[in-house]
Amino acid sequence: MARQLRNMNKEMDSIMKQFGKDANQIWKKGIESAQVSPSIIKTDDGRRAVDLKDLDRKLQKAFNLSEEETLTGVYMIYKGSDLFYVGHSTNIARRLKRHFSKPFEKKVSREEKREKPFNSVLEKRNMSIAIYRITDEKNYMFRKTLDRIITYNQVPEYLKQTLGSTDDELDTARRKRTSHKRTTA
């Protein structure tokens, strides 16, 4: 049993070293990044919403995209200077449109806020979106892993709202998850 555990640990060490090399290579050669600040407009009925046409133009300009090209990668939505949400998609523009398709209503109940969490982002005028474009679509697992790493290390506000946890509880949970010791026999 002890020998098997040692062998598994050696295999995992090898896998993690290779992952580090592969991830570093992808990061250096296959990532483009940009930050956009979508315009927030008032709708006819006085509510605030993201100007989706302006968002499209800004994304195309930031990454020199043609009309047919899609933007694949990881995106982070910031509410002021605080990270609100982290996501990944094969078509970031379409995904962002879905997030912001419903206009913001100033007076919403607590339950409605949970159902429509992206409305709270529109409360701040200085919303921004950071995007890491992964140019090689074969790197699906890297995109997914990058999303998880950022989410795990930054704990976005959306996740805090969803879990109903305070900062202290999340920090405690994170410390518990990372305080393990590797067992070797």
Side-chain angles (χ1 to χ4, degrees), residues 17 30 33 52 62 65 72 77 98 109 135 151 172 174 182:
K17 284 178 187 175
S33 63
L52 300 176
L65 298 174
T72 300
I77 300 173
R98 281 199 311 230
S109 71
T135 54
T151 301
T172 303
R174 185 185 305 148
R182 191 170 127 192

Side-chain angles (χ1 to χ4, degrees), residues 77 79 84-85 98-100 102 104 108-123 157-159 161-162:
I77 300 173
K79 183 174 155 180
F84 179 76
Y85 185 82
R98 281 199 311 230
H99 285 318
F100 298 117
K102 296 190 170 60
F104 169 70
V108 292
S109 71
R110 189 176 231 171
E111 271 63 42
E112 286 178 297
K113 247 187 181 174
R114 280 204 177 130
E115 291 172 15
K116 303 174 187 174
F118 290 92
N119 286 346
S120 69
V121 174
L122 298 173
E123 293 171 0
E157 186 179 318
Y158 171 81
L159 190 57
Q161 287 177 5
T162 305

Side-chain angles (χ1 to χ4, degrees), residues 65-183:
L65 298 174
S66 68
E67 293 284 329
E68 304 84 41
E69 281 183 286
T70 59
L71 186 56
T72 300
V74 177
Y75 60 96
M76 296 174 287
I77 300 173
Y78 285 89
K79 183 174 155 180
S81 61
D82 300 325
L83 180 62
F84 179 76
Y85 185 82
V86 178
H88 67 93
S89 179
T90 55
N91 190 333
I92 292 175
R94 184 177 62 209
R95 185 71 179 119
L96 289 172
K97 286 178 187 177
R98 281 199 311 230
H99 285 318
F100 298 117
S101 63
K102 296 190 170 60
F104 169 70
E105 294 177 21
K106 190 72 174 173
K107 295 179 182 177
V108 292
S109 71
R110 189 176 231 171
E111 271 63 42
E112 286 178 297
K113 247 187 181 174
R114 280 204 177 130
E115 291 172 15
K116 303 174 187 174
F118 290 92
N119 286 346
S120 69
V121 174
L122 298 173
E123 293 171 0
K124 294 260 186 183
R125 297 228 181 257
N126 55 350
M127 175 186 61
S128 63
I129 304 167
I131 299 167
Y132 292 100
R133 179 183 186 199
I134 299 175
T135 54
D136 184 357
E137 290 190 32
K138 290 183 279 182
N139 293 318
Y140 168 76
M141 289 307 293
F142 180 78
R143 176 171 42 99
K144 198 171 184 177
T145 303
L146 183 59
D147 175 348
R148 287 183 178 165
I149 289 169
I150 294 168
T151 301
Y152 181 78
N153 286 299
Q154 299 293 318
V155 189
E157 186 179 318
Y158 171 81
L159 190 57
K160 292 175 191 175
Q161 287 177 5
T162 305
L163 297 175
S165 302
T166 64
D167 287 339
D168 293 338
E169 290 170 343
L170 287 168
D171 286 342
T172 303
R174 185 185 305 148
R175 278 196 301 273
K176 283 180 184 176
R177 286 189 301 226
T178 59
S179 66
H180 70 282
K181 291 187 178 180
R182 191 170 127 192
T183 19

